[in-house]
Amino acid sequence: METIDSIFEKIGGLLEKTHLPEQISEVDFAGLFTNPWFLVPFIALVAYMIYKQSFRDLTIMGLLMGAWYASGTHYMQTLVVGDELQMNKVLPVLFGGAGVLGFIIYLLFGRSD
């Protein structure tokens, strides 16, 4: 157990040094999708996935991008008011996330190509 704790301590220290959670939460969506250094490889990836007819991977990528977008909405910002968790707002997010995760698991493991 001691080695696992030391691994998690190292990962936690790395996340603190790089400020990765703050960087992810402060992403400028409009700036990102108008930046050609991001947009050109992203469009090339989507075109390649369409060419290879990898619609499962396109669907998963779309769901993950949708979850990323939804995490920055005003609804998500109001889940915690003060120090109190708003249960009437958390349960739809919880069940929606469980539904999306279940659908991704179904796409990856549940059906054959």
Side-chain angles (χ1 to χ4, degrees):
M1 285 309 252
E2 189 172 309
T3 59
I4 294 174
D5 291 336
S6 66
I7 291 172
F8 283 126
E9 286 178 18
K10 289 178 184 177
I11 292 172
L14 177 68
L15 288 176
E16 283 181 27
K17 287 180 185 176
T18 59
H19 303 287
L20 186 63
E22 292 88 8
Q23 290 179 20
I24 291 173
S25 67
E26 295 173 2
V27 170
D28 177 23
F29 293 106
L32 182 65
F33 283 100
T34 57
N35 184 349
W37 290 101
F38 172 78
L39 202 56
V40 170
F42 180 74
I43 290 173
L45 175 67
V46 170
Y48 178 74
M49 285 183 173
I50 290 172
Y51 172 74
K52 295 298 266 183
Q53 295 182 354
S54 180
F55 298 113
R56 178 192 70 179
D57 295 337
L58 270 173
T59 304
I60 291 170
M61 188 172 66
L63 286 170
L64 292 176
M65 289 184 70
W68 182 39
Y69 173 76
S71 69
T73 60
H74 178 69
Y75 185 82
M76 294 297 217
Q77 305 294 325
T78 60
L79 288 178
V80 177
V81 177
D83 288 336
E84 187 174 327
L85 185 64
Q86 304 296 314
M87 288 304 288
N88 58 344
K89 291 186 175 185
V90 170
L91 291 178
V93 172
L94 180 69
F95 289 121
V100 168
L101 184 61
F103 185 63
I104 289 174
I105 290 171
Y106 167 73
L107 287 175
L108 290 175
F109 303 112
R111 44 175 256 189
S112 61
D113 288 333

